[in-house]
Amino acid sequence: MGVAGLVGHDSAAEAFRAALSSARLHHAWLMAGPPGIGKASLALQFARILLKAEDPASPAGRRVSAGTHADLLMIARGIDEKRGRQRTEIVADDIRPAGDFLRRTAAEGGWRVVVIDGADHMNRNAANALLKILEEPPPRALLLLTCDAPGRLLPTIRSRCRLLKLEPLSDVAMIQALRAHDVDDTAARAILGPARGSPARALQLLGASDASMAEAVDALLDGRRPDGGEYVFAEGVARGDNGFPAFFTLLCEGVSARARGAARDGRRDGEALRRVRQWDALNRIRSETERANLDKLQAVLSALTIMSET
């Protein structure tokens, strides 16, 4: 039996429940896996189990949902007030309050739980602050860390955590998860490939990509240009709420699929190599644009140029 209200990751949920029932619950758990597959949701469900808050309608459940439970501390990258966007790092000042929080008496007489979402974004000082907590964990205190890339964490942090490797959701679990967001099964099945087992990725794509974008991506893959002109199309992509990541995701997935198809068919016209080069260039443009907050319009125009090259 998995965690109530959570789709997928049943084996991880069973491992946690088994450790809890055996009275040998490790003081720190590291949940690692690809982005958007529900790591933070799983960590929060583990917290609900310990805090007797699995029923969201119960008083404790409502406090967890509202973020007001006195024995639960959530830590993630904060907002850079000067730039008005999420910081690229978790800093030491974000981590240090967790030490005092875990040492104090539980307000509701049970466990104290700290969830660090995106622990691989900690800078060196934050990692050292967490390491001090992990070296001398107080009783009835639990740390739950999520990360996309555990290799970015200090080895001394990884060695003090029980690792749970989480996999992308199966197609069946994806459809079930998307139903909870009022996505019909037909639309869900259409997005399964590009979503790659990530409900968050699927919702991003579904929210940003309509039929016109999908058709435009297919046209680019076939060597045709967007209807209405390249600049008009690029401007529409860049201005949309999730248009930029959706466009690059769909395009890179399409290029990758064409490369695999050419290689599988044994084509000798250089198609597979051309597609691989396109994929590399597109991913580089996307990464640089998102990391340095560059002009998205120019990035989309550059992508269109790459797709026009033979």
Side-chain angles (χ1 to χ4, degrees):
M1 173 180 165
V3 175
L6 188 74
V7 176
H9 310 309
D10 288 350
S11 60
E14 287 296 333
F16 184 83
R17 287 188 183 278
L20 180 59
S21 63
S22 69
R24 292 193 299 271
L25 186 67
H26 199 79
H27 68 280
W29 293 65
L30 174 61
M31 283 157 273
I37 63 171
K39 298 186 296 293
S41 296
L42 182 64
L44 191 58
Q45 287 288 7
F46 287 179
R48 286 181 179 275
I49 292 171
L50 285 183
L51 300 174
K52 303 186 185 307
E54 289 184 83
D55 180 0
S58 68
R62 289 197 298 270
R63 288 194 291 276
V64 169
S65 299
T68 58
H69 197 292
D71 294 325
L72 175 62
L73 177 64
M74 303 287 294
I75 296 174
R77 287 179 290 162
I79 299 298
D80 185 330
E81 295 182 358
K82 293 182 179 179
R83 297 184 178 182
R85 56 190 175 93
Q86 193 175 39
R87 292 199 307 263
T88 59
E89 296 180 325
I90 293 176
V91 299
D93 285 346
D94 296 324
I95 299 294
R96 290 192 185 103
D100 292 335
F101 173 84
L102 291 175
R103 283 190 292 269
R104 75 189 187 201
T105 302
E108 300 193 15
W111 288 79
R112 289 138 300 152
V113 183
V114 173
V115 176
I116 303 177
D117 187 24
D120 44 343
H121 290 288
M122 290 187 297
N123 63 20
R124 174 67 68 164
N125 290 335
N128 287 332
L130 175 61
L131 186 58
K132 292 179 180 178
I133 299 172
L134 291 172
E135 287 173 342
E136 298 181 4
R140 295 181 69 77
L142 183 71
L143 288 111
L144 299 169
L145 284 61
T146 76
C147 73
D148 300 338
R152 295 177 186 168
L153 294 172
L154 293 176
T156 45
I157 288 180
R158 295 199 304 270
S159 67
R160 286 170 169 79
C161 297
R162 175 166 175 178
L163 176 64
L164 282 179
K165 291 184 178 180
L166 304 181
E167 301 295 333
L169 270 61
S170 67
D171 288 354
V172 172
M174 281 288 292
I175 291 173
Q176 184 180 351
L178 293 174
R179 282 175 185 164
H181 293 274
D182 297 324
V183 177
D184 67 74
D185 290 1
T186 300
R189 290 191 184 94
I191 208 70
L192 289 178
R196 299 204 300 265
S198 166
R201 185 185 183 93
L203 290 170
Q204 182 187 65
L205 293 172
L206 288 167
S209 62
D210 54 18
S212 63
M213 180 180 288
E215 290 170 0
V217 167
D218 285 340
L220 291 172
L221 292 169
D222 291 337
R224 294 177 283 120
R225 316 313 300 158
D227 293 337
E230 295 185 354
Y231 188 89
V232 172
F233 174 77
E235 190 173 39
V237 171
R239 287 184 175 178
D241 289 340
N242 291 310
F244 181 85
F247 170 70
F248 271 89
T249 296
L250 291 171
L251 186 56
C252 289
E253 289 285 344
V255 169
S256 178
R258 297 293 177 99
R260 292 194 302 271
R264 184 173 55 250
D265 296 341
R267 294 174 58 177
R268 299 181 180 276
D269 58 0
E271 172 71 2
L273 180 59
R274 182 172 73 89
R275 293 298 188 183
V276 169
R277 288 173 174 167
Q278 285 180 335
W279 187 89
D280 284 339
L282 291 169
N283 276 279
R284 183 172 60 254
I285 288 173
R286 177 178 183 173
S287 176
E288 291 175 352
T289 301
E290 292 179 334
R291 184 176 64 250
N293 198 28
L294 301 179
D295 185 0
K296 292 180 179 178
L297 172 60
Q298 186 57 52
V300 176
L301 289 171
S302 297
L304 297 179
T305 299
I306 289 169
M307 296 305 298
S308 69
E309 296 172 350
T310 57

